[in-house]
């Protein structure tokens, strides 16, 4: 992110839209920019964009890939029509981590954002939608950006799965790992956000702070507070790191 002068002001040359599922995650990201809030904008429908700092807009896009895609697309379209398009979209939040690769409280950056359950069940097993001749199941963030973010934050790089149903059994967790051996985490919004970004030709990144193990639901083992803190700390390191990233280096 190179700073440039415009009419005597110093403004960031890269505009970033951060899409979370819920306000608690959005607020955790905003915590990385204390005292820098500049209000919010109401977009069509129920979409609200919070201006956390110069160059950073935050969106609580909703739970699940469909609503996340719709809300993100609304924000991207509004920005483009206003003549101030975004240069990067970040899907951010807490999520489940595949053990032992992604310990509780760790930060995961996606080198692949994959829709894990978009396809068809057959007698021979699961077929991704691509094998049915439709669409895509994976979006890949810019390799250069993944390297920059991991280097700055200490995050782990790996596949982050997008699911419409949160994994709640050991059998389901094992099946996902068998199909996606490089998976480190799962969430519910990343692929939807990535689809919207791709439709606008904007690069995408996904960051997940691990709040619970992927597998049997054991609320006593969840560390949501720790994960939200890790999200705040991660974005505190991410923002200055982006100053060295060229958005044209895909």
């Amino acid at each position: 992110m190179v700073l440039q002068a415009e009419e005597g002001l110093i403004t960031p040359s890269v505009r970033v839209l951060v899409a979370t599922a819920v306000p608690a995650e959005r607020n955790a990201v905003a915590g990385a920019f204390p005292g820098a809030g500049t209000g919010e904008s109401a977009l069509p429908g129920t979409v609200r964009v919070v201006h956390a700092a110069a160059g950073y807009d935050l969106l609580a896009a909703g739970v699940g890939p469909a609503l996340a895609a719709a809300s993100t697309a609304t924000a991207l379209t509004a920005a483009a029509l206003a003549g101030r398009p975004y240069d990067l979209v970040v899907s951010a939040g807490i999520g489940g981590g595949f053990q032992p690769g992604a310990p509780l409280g760790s930060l995961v950056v996606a080198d692949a954002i994959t829709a894990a359950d978009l396809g068809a069940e057959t007698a021979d097993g699961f077929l991704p939608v691509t094998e049915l001749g439709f669409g895509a199941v994976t979006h890949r963030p810019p390799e250069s950006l993944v390297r920059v973010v991991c280097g700055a934050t200490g995050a782990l790089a790996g596949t982050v799965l997008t699911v419409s149903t949160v994994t709640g059994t050991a059998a389901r967790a094992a099946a996902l790992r068998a199909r996606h051996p490089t998976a480190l985490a799962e969430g519910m919004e990343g692929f939807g956000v990535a689809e919207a970004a791709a439709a606008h030709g904007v690069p995408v990144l996904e960051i997940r702070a691990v709040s619970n193990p992927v597998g049997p639901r054991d609320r006593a083992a969840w560390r949501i507070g720790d994960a939200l803190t890790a999200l705040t700390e991660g974005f505190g390191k991410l923002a200055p790191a982006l100053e060295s990233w060229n958005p044209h280096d895909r």
Side-chain angles (χ1 to χ4, degrees):
M1 184 190 303
V2 180
L3 298 183
Q4 61 184 12
E6 291 185 0
E7 297 181 355
L9 299 176
I10 301 299
T11 59
S13 60
V14 175
R15 297 192 68 228
V16 181
L17 175 66
V18 182
T20 69
V22 297
E25 294 167 320
R26 179 197 62 202
N27 295 342
V29 174
F33 307 98
T38 57
E40 65 177 54
S41 297
L43 303 182
T46 60
V47 179
R48 299 288 186 276
V49 171
V50 174
H51 309 297
Y56 282 82
D57 287 347
L58 313 183
L59 168 69
V63 175
L67 185 53
S71 298
T72 302
T74 297
L76 288 168
T77 300
L81 291 175
R84 302 182 67 239
Y86 292 105
D87 301 292
L88 174 66
V89 178
V90 181
S91 175
I94 63 176
F98 287 94
Q99 304 302 303
L104 301 190
S106 64
L107 204 63
V108 174
V109 173
D111 56 17
I113 302 169
T114 297
D117 50 13
L118 182 60
E121 292 287 352
T122 74
D124 297 320
F126 178 81
L127 288 179
V129 72
T130 49
E131 293 190 24
L132 301 175
F134 304 103
V137 292
T138 294
H139 291 280
R140 295 191 179 276
E143 293 182 5
S144 62
L145 180 57
V146 172
R147 288 195 300 270
V148 166
V149 174
C150 287
T153 65
L156 305 164
T159 299
V160 176
L161 303 180
T162 298
V163 295
S164 295
T165 301
V166 174
T167 300
T169 67
R172 161 86 167 174
L176 288 175
R177 282 304 299 270
R179 290 206 303 266
H180 308 282
T182 61
L184 286 181
E186 75 168 20
M188 299 183 74
E189 295 77 34
F191 186 77
V193 172
E195 287 276 81
H200 282 260
V202 180
V204 67
L205 184 71
E206 182 171 9
I207 300 174
R208 291 282 166 183
V210 177
S211 59
N212 58 277
V214 175
R217 289 174 65 81
D218 178 9
R219 295 182 68 91
W222 294 1
R223 298 291 182 268
I224 292 177
D226 292 344
L228 291 173
T229 297
L231 198 61
T232 302
E233 293 175 349
F235 269 86
K237 298 172 182 177
L238 171 96
L242 284 181
E243 295 178 8
S244 65
W245 177 66
N246 181 349
H248 301 292
D249 182 5
R250 303 293 178 89

